[in-house]
Amino acid sequence: MSDAIADFYAVIPAGGVGSRLWPLSRAEAPKFLHDLTGSGHSLLRDTWDRLEPLAGHDRIAVVTGRAHRAAVEEQLPGVPDLNVFLESEPRDSTAAIGLAAAVLVRREPDVIIGSFAADHVIRGTRVFEFAVQQAVEVARQGLICTIGIQPTEPAVGFGYIKKGDELVVQGAPEAATVERFVEKPDLDTAKAYFADRSYLWNAGMFISRADVLLAEIQTNAPELHAGLIELAEAWDDRDRRGPAVDRIWPKLQKIAIDYTVAEPAAERGKLAVIPGHFDWDDVGDFASLAKLNSHGRKNELAILGENARVLTDAASGILVSNTDRIVSLIGVQDIVVVDTPDALLVTTSEHAQRVKGVVEALKLTGRGDVL
Amino acid sequence: MSDAIADFYAVIPAGGVGSRLWPLSRAEAPKFLHDLTGSGHSLLRDTWDRLEPLAGHDRIAVVTGRAHRAAVEEQLPGVPDLNVFLESEPRDSTAAIGLAAAVLVRREPDVIIGSFAADHVIRGTRVFEFAVQQAVEVARQGLICTIGIQPTEPAVGFGYIKKGDELVVQGAPEAATVERFVEKPDLDTAKAYFADRSYLWNAGMFISRADVLLAEIQTNAPELHAGLIELAEAWDDRDRRGPAVDRIWPKLQKIAIDYTVAEPAAERGKLAVIPGHFDWDDVGDFASLAKLNSHGRKNELAILGENARVLTDAASGILVSNTDRIVSLIGVQDIVVVDTPDALLVTTSEHAQRVKGVVEALKLTGRGDVL
């Protein structure tokens, strides 16, 4: 695909620390700023590069914290200033995506926005592009459209989308309604979903006309909507933006877009889904990171870190090396070692989910400096 | 015991890097300079403190490399200058102990020296003292005497001493001849030795009149002996010592005292042994270090490092922390983590012996800077 999709504007909410990836991911250097795939680029940059052919260079907005402004601009040199939306503090995904929608619809009434997290990994560019293209065609019809990932295994770490009846939309041969959303299942349920094929992973991708999205927010969170509209009116006036953010943003309801848009729209038959047949991962923990970087080779050690200096003997799992120290791993299987200047983590893939508990313990013991 | 033993002089050969304890132990900071027991003191200091009641403060000689002079003096403040014997380079144990013997016998013809490695761990001070006291009484008879440790398990990591007939020596009720030395056994052999009770661990402790020891070296390594005598003649003349070391020391044969003294003396029935009923360990690798610091508690994590800042969840084994980093260990059993400013090791007790291979690989790849 070489031409951008008409009316399409990509929105990248770049928030979330990723505390299960501590001590790699930090409040000051969250997950999206890291290269987690060995691509040589941060996840944010990879996300941007994936969207540029679909939206065009000047039609990708990033919504992120003020604290990350410099890092984001370093990752995305040449990004137009008016496409960087800075939050004074995190207010969850409805506020982030809703702000972009409210500002963009004022600039361009027919705009169709597609939101894609800054810290997910996708492989299979053409298949991804075809899914987005279909989703935009669905959105043109006034529906809200998500892209649900066709599962490649019975995962228990993701929420699912139950696909319903097929929809007839020109240019979107795979479009279907969303019957319902389901929470992270247990393993038996996940196996049943996997066999069924009509359950897709919820990857949090939403494509919609901006006005349709805002109407949905207005219905389900009217105060939040009013705040976003007020903020958007001031946004493109340089003198008014800062004071408006300071006044309005901190009071906005913190609520995920799943509850203000996706689930209510699904209940009223207004949510469509396009199955995504590409490899996708939200890299939720180090087990996921290890798998992602193993490239299917078991019993090998994946190494992340440009300058990693490693000596291993019978080691498998993943080493993340963010220092210039010599690291030696001997006779450790499925190990997770994360070596950073001020913190070291040693665990295994099996226990990767427990990392979040350490982060919480560090908060409680006043060690926020390493979070 | 409050009085020093007459004629007794303790000699502490402080050499050997301990490459199985890399990256804790280094060429520049060898094993004997580390606190491996959490005592708050280095092994060298602990060795010194153990010997002081037996020999007296001014009668403990340390033989070490020139490079370690400052570190040794820091560990042993107030040690008389004439008791620090500096090697220009390592020439193995015959040269180290033989030098001390040759110098001390000139100062004091009837001196009885006892050599004790600087980097072993002993628990049970009174029992140790009684063993040394007996060994000195045996040495007075003109025999060379070793102290062999009564095994507490069928260890495969140590050489053994086969105890022979009992000796009748006043003040040494446990004295016996040494029948022979045996190399590190396999497990079945070790089990048989353990059941037999007449096999003792060879801890490299030798107690002898200095003249008897030197005569044994003269018989079995005459050139080395001649070099030591020549060096000793110059030693106590400050102007001659340095040039003599530079001229003679580098040419001395590198050979362990086992081959120049212990084994030949045993063959001629001139070697006696006192069984040591105290806890002893040479702390040969991290498995040994972990065991030593577990104090019998399995499934716990032993931590070495004054300023260790550690967060664990279901971890056992040993952490050596020589940095001020936060270290988090989650769900790792029998783990060995050694965190130093320029090198990190992660292995398990089971694979602790393989650490030496890493050190060799680092040498081959030109990374001597971290050794």
Side-chain angles (χ1 to χ4, degrees):
Chain A
M1 173 174 299
S2 53
D3 295 328
I5 303 170
D7 302 319
F8 183 61
Y9 221 106
V11 175
I12 305 176
V17 173
S19 55
R20 284 190 187 86
L21 293 180
W22 179 89
L24 174 63
S25 196
R26 309 284 184 101
E28 306 231 321
K31 192 173 144 194
F32 63 83
L33 291 176
H34 293 277
D35 171 11
L36 297 186
T37 63
S39 72
H41 300 292
S42 66
L43 295 183
L44 172 62
R45 176 80 219 185
D46 285 340
T47 303
W48 175 276
D49 288 344
R50 193 159 49 235
L51 294 168
E52 193 183 4
L54 295 165
H57 179 271
D58 294 337
R59 296 174 65 84
I60 308 175
V62 178
V63 190
T64 193
R66 279 179 182 165
H68 306 309
R69 179 183 192 156
V72 166
E73 288 176 353
E74 192 192 323
Q75 291 296 315
L76 308 173
V79 60
D81 198 46
L82 84 170
N83 278 345
V84 180
F85 292 71
L86 296 176
E87 308 170 330
S88 55
E89 57 179 89
R91 302 307 292 173
D92 218 324
S93 54
T94 305
I97 299 166
L99 171 66
V103 172
L104 293 174
V105 79
R106 286 178 62 87
R107 295 181 189 163
E108 196 175 320
D110 289 326
V111 71
I112 294 170
I113 65 166
S115 73
F116 304 89
D119 55 6
H120 294 178
V121 170
I122 287 172
R123 286 180 179 138
T125 306
R126 286 174 183 281
V127 188
F128 171 73
E129 289 178 351
F130 183 50
V132 175
Q133 202 172 24
Q134 291 185 74
V136 173
E137 293 313 312
V138 172
R140 283 193 207 285
Q141 309 301 316
L143 293 171
I144 298 169
C145 190
T146 185
I147 297 172
I149 315 300
Q150 193 71 54
T152 51
E153 60 178 353
V156 297
F158 306 132
Y160 284 72
I161 297 166
K162 172 76 171 86
K163 194 171 68 175
D165 298 333
E166 284 184 22
L167 281 172
V168 180
V169 177
Q170 183 73 25
E174 296 177 285
T177 58
V178 169
E179 200 173 294
R180 62 190 170 94
F181 287 88
V182 286
E183 296 296 307
K184 294 177 185 181
D186 60 27
L187 186 58
D188 284 342
T189 310
K191 283 178 178 171
Y193 289 174
F194 182 60
D196 181 296
R197 304 275 303 158
S198 70
Y199 287 85
L200 308 172
W201 290 334
N202 180 4
M205 300 174 187
F206 297 103
I207 297 93
S208 169
R209 284 181 61 99
D211 55 1
V212 170
L213 187 91
L214 288 163
E216 197 66 41
I217 296 172
Q218 186 171 25
T219 304
N220 302 301
E223 279 187 41
L224 174 51
H225 177 265
L228 291 171
I229 296 300
E230 189 185 349
L231 193 50
E233 278 167 2
W235 194 266
D236 283 335
D237 181 333
R238 295 234 153 209
D239 296 332
R240 292 172 61 210
R241 183 193 298 176
V245 170
D246 291 340
R247 186 178 74 250
I248 299 164
W249 192 259
K251 295 179 189 157
L252 295 182
Q253 187 187 359
K254 279 180 103 160
I255 183 168
I257 199 159
D258 307 70
Y259 309 119
T260 54
V261 174
E263 294 185 8
E267 276 176 31
R268 299 204 321 281
K270 287 203 60 182
L271 192 74
V273 62
I274 301 292
H277 305 285
F278 46 85
D279 285 341
W280 167 89
D281 203 307
D282 71 350
V283 206
D285 60 28
F286 285 114
S288 160
L289 188 66
K291 198 173 164 199
L292 190 69
N293 284 278
S294 71
H295 305 285
R297 291 188 295 271
K298 289 200 173 186
N299 303 318
E300 286 193 21
L301 183 75
I303 298 170
L304 268 184
E306 274 178 68
N307 305 309
R309 302 191 303 167
V310 190
L311 263 175
T312 68
D313 178 3
S316 69
I318 188 160
L319 165 67
V320 182
S321 165
N322 272 3
T323 73
D324 59 0
R325 304 197 305 168
I326 291 267
V327 179
S328 181
L329 309 181
I330 303 174
V332 281
Q333 304 304 319
D334 289 320
I335 198 84
V336 172
V337 175
V338 185
D339 182 37
T340 78
D342 60 356
L344 167 68
L345 170 72
V346 179
T347 184
T348 64
S349 287
E350 189 192 349
H351 296 96
Q353 287 281 330
R354 295 163 86 163
V355 172
K356 197 173 185 178
V358 167
V359 169
E360 279 153 17
L362 285 167
K363 271 183 202 156
L364 290 174
T365 54
R367 290 309 318 264
D369 57 310
V370 295
L371 295 180
Chain B
M1 169 171 304
S2 53
D3 295 327
I5 303 171
D7 303 320
F8 183 59
Y9 222 105
V11 175
I12 305 176
V17 172
S19 55
R20 284 191 187 83
L21 293 180
W22 180 90
L24 174 63
S25 194
R26 308 285 182 102
E28 307 233 320
K31 192 174 143 194
F32 63 83
L33 291 176
H34 292 277
D35 171 11
L36 298 187
T37 63
S39 71
H41 300 292
S42 65
L43 294 183
L44 171 64
R45 177 79 219 185
D46 285 340
T47 302
W48 175 277
D49 288 344
R50 192 158 51 234
L51 293 168
E52 193 182 4
L54 294 165
H57 179 270
D58 295 337
R59 296 175 64 85
I60 308 175
V62 178
V63 190
T64 194
R66 279 179 183 165
H68 305 309
R69 178 182 193 155
V72 165
E73 288 176 354
E74 193 192 322
Q75 291 295 315
L76 308 174
V79 60
D81 198 45
L82 85 171
N83 278 345
V84 180
F85 291 72
L86 295 176
E87 307 170 330
S88 54
E89 58 181 88
R91 302 307 293 172
D92 218 322
S93 54
T94 304
I97 298 166
L99 171 66
V103 171
L104 294 174
V105 79
R106 286 179 63 88
R107 297 182 190 163
E108 197 175 319
D110 288 327
V111 71
I112 293 170
I113 66 166
S115 73
F116 303 89
D119 56 5
H120 293 178
V121 170
I122 287 172
R123 286 183 179 134
T125 306
R126 286 175 183 281
V127 188
F128 171 73
E129 290 178 352
F130 183 50
V132 175
Q133 201 173 24
Q134 291 186 74
V136 172
E137 293 313 312
V138 173
R140 284 193 209 285
Q141 310 301 316
L143 293 171
I144 299 169
C145 190
T146 186
I147 296 172
I149 314 302
Q150 193 71 54
T152 51
E153 60 178 352
V156 297
F158 305 134
Y160 284 72
I161 297 166
K162 172 74 171 87
K163 194 171 68 175
D165 297 333
E166 284 184 23
L167 282 171
V168 180
V169 177
Q170 183 74 23
E174 295 178 286
T177 58
V178 169
E179 199 173 295
R180 60 190 171 94
F181 287 88
V182 285
E183 296 294 309
K184 294 177 185 178
D186 60 28
L187 186 60
D188 284 341
T189 309
K191 284 178 177 171
Y193 289 173
F194 183 60
D196 181 297
R197 303 276 303 160
S198 71
Y199 286 86
L200 308 172
W201 290 334
N202 181 4
M205 300 173 185
F206 296 102
I207 297 93
S208 169
R209 284 181 60 99
D211 55 2
V212 170
L213 188 90
L214 288 164
E216 197 65 42
I217 296 174
Q218 186 171 27
T219 304
N220 301 302
E223 280 187 40
L224 174 51
H225 177 265
L228 292 170
I229 296 300
E230 189 184 348
L231 193 50
E233 279 167 3
W235 194 265
D236 283 334
D237 182 333
R238 295 236 154 207
D239 296 333
R240 291 172 60 210
R241 183 194 297 177
V245 170
D246 291 340
R247 188 178 72 249
I248 298 164
W249 192 260
K251 294 180 191 158
L252 295 182
Q253 187 186 359
K254 280 180 102 160
I255 184 168
I257 200 159
D258 307 71
Y259 308 119
T260 54
V261 174
E263 293 185 8
E267 275 176 31
R268 297 205 323 280
K270 287 204 60 183
L271 192 73
V273 63
I274 300 293
H277 304 285
F278 46 86
D279 284 340
W280 167 88
D281 203 307
D282 70 351
V283 207
D285 61 29
F286 285 113
S288 160
L289 188 66
K291 198 173 165 200
L292 189 69
N293 285 279
S294 72
H295 305 285
R297 291 190 295 271
K298 288 200 172 188
N299 304 319
E300 286 194 21
L301 182 74
I303 298 171
L304 268 185
E306 274 179 68
N307 305 308
R309 303 191 304 167
V310 189
L311 262 176
T312 68
D313 178 3
S316 70
I318 188 160
L319 165 67
V320 182
S321 165
N322 273 3
T323 73
D324 60 359
R325 304 196 306 167
I326 290 266
V327 179
S328 180
L329 308 182
I330 304 174
V332 280
Q333 304 305 319
D334 289 320
I335 199 84
V336 172
V337 175
V338 185
D339 183 36
T340 78
D342 60 355
L344 167 68
L345 171 72
V346 180
T347 184
T348 64
S349 288
E350 189 193 348
H351 295 96
Q353 288 281 330
R354 295 164 85 164
V355 172
K356 198 172 183 179
V358 168
V359 170
E360 279 154 16
L362 285 167
K363 271 183 202 157
L364 290 175
T365 54
R367 290 311 316 266
D369 58 310
V370 295
L371 295 180

